[in-house]
Amino acid sequence: MKRFFSGRVLMLCSLAILLLGVAPAQAAVNLNMYYPVAVGGPITKVIDDMIADFEKANPDIKVKAVYAGNYDDTRVKALAALKANQPVQLSVLFSIDVFELIDQGVIVPFDDFATTVEDKKWLASFYPALMANSKAKGKTWGIPFQRSTIVMYHNKDAFKEVGLDPNKPPTTWNEMVAMAQKLTKKDAAGNVSRWGLHIPSTGYAYWMFQALCIQNGEELMNQDGNRTYFDKPAVIEAMQFWRDLAVKHKVMPEGTIDWGTLRQKFLEGATAMMWHTTGNLTAVRDGAKFNFGVSMLPASKRLGSPTGGGNFYIFKSANAEERKAALKFIKFMTEPELTAKWSIATGYTATRADAYETNVLKKYVAEFPAAAVARDQFKYAVAEFATHENARNKKFLDDAIQSVLTGNKGAKEAMTGAQAQAERVLKVYR
């Protein structure tokens, strides 16, 4: 009997060991991430490669990137997926969407689950200028990732051609106008073969306009996102200056200038200077058949540019395990070494100072100083335009800008009208 009992115990133990050996591995955590592609270049491949590296280091987490168009398209599609109860745990969305996402109750603050000493050190590692659009109501809602400022690109060969110093781009509005007039090339019939300057006015017109307003000494909104200042005299003056670049100074074509095709126009020599995102830096470097330079935007009363680009957000619909996995992924994507490689591959700014201390980015900046311009401009940068119901207020502003640039309205009429529209929307938030 004892022998039978012992044999039975041995058999059960063996069976248990066998079952343990073939037990299925723990299921991976699956994360769906909506991601915007707002500029040209190899962005999707860079992101796919970074995800592959993360999954190799973390085989228990799978990340699927859904490339959903520009920032506005991505926000719309991500929110639609959430409303349809589709699994979406995180996204890179506009940093300026923060108030809308909070008001809709779809995101969670990182402070709620990034609570360790290491987590807090990580949250404090990003440039303060970039965190200005990441924090609201005393909490951190977004993590800077695909971030930028506006910079000026100039064709050094064109500068040489007209007797300008190619290493001294304009530092003031007056200098910019004077140089742009020299750089504008016309044939005997008056047809322009090269403009002196292009500032894009589709896609992100409000962003370019905010830069002009900052340079003229005025903000477009308050920190709480519940007031706008579209009708301030300095704002109206900035709008008139933008219009005057075409109709008075004749250094830009009249009407609108397309954001999406401007980089190619610059590369083709259709304009000698352009304002654009530093996120196009790598694409310009790879595509230019001429010597080019990059500089901070010129000043009227002060230097300045709004920051721009996208933040990582984690959605409230993600469960605790998914939030933990999403946080691990975001921390991986923003590590100094990876941030440095991301900046080099795309042209977007590295979002933390220690990334510029890595050997790879130190070497790159030494060989290609243009890569440090946007970073150096942070000291003059302000938060990008962000308010409650931001999409509506941004539309009011964009429409007003278009109406002035196309000659349908005067600067004062358009800006006063946009302010009245924004005031009706925002007064309920005060």
Side-chain angles (χ1 to χ4, degrees), residues 12-13 53 59 74 83 153 197 213 246 278 335 342 377 381 411:
L12 288 172
C13 289
D53 288 343
T74 305
K83 288 179 182 177
Y153 297 81
L197 173 68
C213 293
T278 187
E335 287 177 355
W342 159 258
Q377 195 168 229

Side-chain angles (χ1 to χ4, degrees), residues 132-153:
N133 279 117
S134 302
K135 292 184 175 182
K137 301 182 179 181
K139 292 190 175 183
T140 302
W141 301 85
I143 299 299
F145 182 64
Q146 185 170 286
R147 299 299 300 273
S148 59
T149 63
I150 306 165
V151 293
M152 174 177 278
Y153 297 81

Side-chain angles (χ1 to χ4, degrees), residues 35 46-47 50 145-146 338-346 348:
Y35 196 95
V46 175
I47 293 296
M50 292 169 79
F145 182 64
Q146 185 170 286
L338 209 58
T339 297
K341 291 176 182 177
W342 159 258
S343 181
I344 294 168
T346 63
Y348 283 104

Side-chain angles (χ1 to χ4, degrees), residues 63-318:
V63 182
K64 179 183 177 182
V66 180
Y67 299 110
N70 64 27
Y71 282 111
D72 289 334
D73 294 336
T74 305
R75 183 188 69 251
V76 169
K77 291 175 183 177
L79 293 179
L82 290 172
K83 288 179 182 177
N85 292 319
Q86 295 176 12
V88 184
Q89 293 80 18
L90 74 159
S91 184
V92 171
L93 299 175
F94 245 156
S95 62
I96 61 174
D97 288 335
V98 62
F99 288 111
E100 283 201 72
L101 296 172
I102 293 170
D103 292 341
Q104 293 188 41
V106 296
I107 57 173
V108 288
F110 282 80
D111 317 72
D112 287 0
F113 49 91
T115 56
T116 67
V117 172
E118 180 191 347
D119 290 340
K120 291 176 181 178
K121 184 179 178 182
W122 170 68
L123 288 173
S125 68
F126 300 96
Y127 282 109
L130 298 179
M131 293 304 287
N133 279 117
S134 302
K135 292 184 175 182
K137 301 182 179 181
K139 292 190 175 183
T140 302
W141 301 85
I143 299 299
F145 182 64
Q146 185 170 286
R147 299 299 300 273
S148 59
T149 63
I150 306 165
V151 293
M152 174 177 278
Y153 297 81
H154 71 278
N155 183 327
K156 288 188 174 184
D157 293 355
F159 269 55
K160 275 187 179 180
E161 178 192 312
V162 299
L164 293 171
D165 187 333
N167 297 313
K168 290 185 178 179
T171 59
T172 67
W173 284 6
N174 289 338
E175 288 179 358
M176 181 176 70
V177 170
M179 290 183 184
Q181 287 173 332
K182 280 191 175 183
L183 290 160
T184 299
K185 185 191 290 187
K186 298 180 182 180
D187 62 21
N191 299 309
V192 176
S193 59
R194 181 183 68 210
W195 290 99
L197 173 68
H198 272 31
I199 299 176
S201 48
T202 69
Y204 305 98
Y206 76 91
W207 196 37
M208 298 292 148
F209 183 54
Q210 188 183 2
L212 288 164
C213 293
I214 294 163
Q215 292 154 19
N216 209 34
E218 189 60 73
E219 293 273 10
L220 284 178
M221 79 293 175
N222 68 351
Q223 189 175 13
D224 293 330
N226 57 19
R227 288 187 187 277
T228 57
Y229 308 119
F230 302 159
D231 58 349
K232 290 288 187 75
V235 172
I236 295 169
E237 187 177 75
M239 186 68 255
Q240 186 61 53
F241 173 73
W242 195 355
R243 170 69 171 160
D244 285 347
L245 288 170
V247 299
K248 179 180 177 182
H249 304 300
K250 301 189 182 303
V251 297
M252 256 180 13
E254 290 192 40
T256 57
I257 293 173
D258 183 59
W259 163 277
T261 60
L262 178 52
R263 184 187 77 224
Q264 191 57 35
K265 284 185 177 180
F266 177 70
L267 294 176
E268 291 170 354
T271 181
M273 295 184 286
M274 72 167 180
W275 289 22
H276 222 292
T277 171
T278 187
N280 261 326
L281 180 59
T282 300
V284 171
R285 180 200 65 192
D286 294 344
K289 300 295 189 291
F290 50 83
N291 293 313
F292 74 94
V294 179
S295 58
M296 296 186 200
L297 297 182
S300 172
K301 298 173 183 174
R302 54 157 290 188
L303 292 170
S305 168
T307 59
N311 284 341
F312 276 114
Y313 297 98
I314 294 179
F315 293 120
K316 190 176 287 187
S317 60

